[in-house]
Amino acid sequence: MEHKYTLMVGRSHGIHGEPITFGLVLSIWYDEMKRHLKNLEETLEVISVGKISGAMGNFAHAPIELEELTCEFLGLKPAPISNQVIQRDRYARMISAIGLMASTVEKIAVAIRHFQRTEVYEVEEYFAKGQKGSSAMPHKRNPILSENITGLARTIRAFVVPAMENVALWNERDNSHSSVERFMLPDVFITTDFMLHRMNNVIANLTVMPENMMKNLNLTGGLVFSQRVLLELPKAGVSREDAYKIVQRNAMKVWEEIKQGKPTVNEKGESLYLNHLLNDEELRNKLSEEQIRECFNYDYYTKNVDAIFKRVYKE
């Protein structure tokens, strides 16, 4: 909520796209984790079953009522049918659900690591006074917690395939699954618990730098507004193909000037891209100066943030 309208640049393929807000980025993380929580709650129902149906699952030596009473005492449901074991698709679903959640936790960690890169520096893990970033280079402030989380997520996901391979046992049961589960189950749960606590700590103490977000948003001299211009031209009767050519040729001029190290604003404080568009005769025959300048309004990109937040945070 604090960063609901904190402007930053959206990126695709690692390249600047259009303005977004940091609140939207955080909301995607929240919404994704909410799905995992629901998935885990549903998976808990799937895995919370028991059986005392005998060596082959036929209840030849024990009454069904014994299984029902025992499971009720343990807070489990009786498996509708079993053989020598509870079927391992249930375990595979559990490990897969945890593996999926670990992937999202890694996604968040990787994003934080990107935001903390020196060239970006929009978000940073909390760095305590006296903390060491590098034993060799004292100036370093490394995202070590997020890097650690990335590795833990990989470790957790590594158990998903063995859990699935445990499903196909010989006949009513063999023992190939047992050796896997003896370390898979404790390792997955303990590692996941540690990973989540660490990620909670990272998020709770995250340092966010809105000024740097805005600086990066302006880094490409107004190019982030190119699609807005592209969408306005067809309204003035220009074909989509011709509109693209007009918008792109002026954008390419800006890229060349950025390569040459030119300032991204002119002496009037106008962005390079706006300046080129205003000087394009073909464009000016279709759009007025006021219409072109209006394309560089940040409010256009935040007008639906409230509606998005209402969809995400219904509760």
Side-chain angles (χ1 to χ4, degrees), residues 6 107 132 146 196:
T6 301
K107 168 182 174 175
K132 289 184 178 179
S146 297
L196 289 173

Side-chain angles (χ1 to χ4, degrees), residues 58-88:
N58 55 12
F59 289 100
H61 308 291
I64 290 179
E65 291 78 9
L66 176 62
E67 179 181 85
E68 293 172 347
L69 288 168
T70 303
C71 286
E72 182 181 1
F73 178 78
L74 294 172
L76 304 173
K77 293 176 296 183
I81 185 170
S82 56
N83 43 35
Q84 192 174 111
V85 293
I86 295 293
Q87 301 310 292
R88 260 43 194 175

Side-chain angles (χ1 to χ4, degrees), residues 73-113:
F73 178 78
L74 294 172
L76 304 173
K77 293 176 296 183
I81 185 170
S82 56
N83 43 35
Q84 192 174 111
V85 293
I86 295 293
Q87 301 310 292
R88 260 43 194 175
D89 67 285
R90 296 178 184 270
Y91 287 75
R93 171 166 175 172
M94 177 183 67
I95 300 301
S96 296
I98 294 172
L100 275 171
M101 180 183 65
S103 292
T104 294
V105 175
E106 181 183 14
K107 168 182 174 175
I108 297 169
V110 168
I112 292 170
R113 290 166 58 194

Side-chain angles (χ1 to χ4, degrees), residues 221-286:
L223 291 182
V224 293
F225 299 103
S226 70
Q227 184 178 211
R228 177 80 195 280
V229 183
L230 178 65
L231 295 175
E232 289 300 314
L233 280 169
K235 297 177 185 178
V238 181
S239 70
R240 178 66 161 68
E241 185 177 354
D242 288 341
Y244 194 94
K245 290 177 182 177
I246 294 170
V247 173
Q248 187 186 47
R249 72 174 176 234
N250 286 289
M252 294 306 108
K253 293 176 185 177
V254 176
W255 279 121
E256 290 304 316
E257 289 171 328
I258 291 174
K259 286 180 186 177
Q260 296 166 19
K262 291 186 177 180
T264 55
V265 295
N266 61 18
E267 61 279 358
K268 299 178 183 178
E270 297 173 337
S271 68
L272 288 176
Y273 193 46
L274 175 60
N275 187 53
H276 284 302
L277 292 175
L278 291 174
N279 290 315
D280 189 300
E281 291 186 10
E282 186 179 4
L283 176 62
R284 289 299 303 274
N285 287 332
K286 298 297 181 181

Side-chain angles (χ1 to χ4, degrees), residues 116-121 216 219:
Q116 190 165 332
R117 289 172 55 223
T118 308
E119 297 84 357
V120 179
Y121 207 48
N216 288 336
L219 196 62

Side-chain angles (χ1 to χ4, degrees), residues 131-146:
Q131 179 179 332
K132 289 184 178 179
S134 165
S135 59
M137 296 166 282
H139 70 279
K140 297 284 294 283
R141 294 161 70 103
N142 299 332
I144 55 172
L145 300 178
S146 297

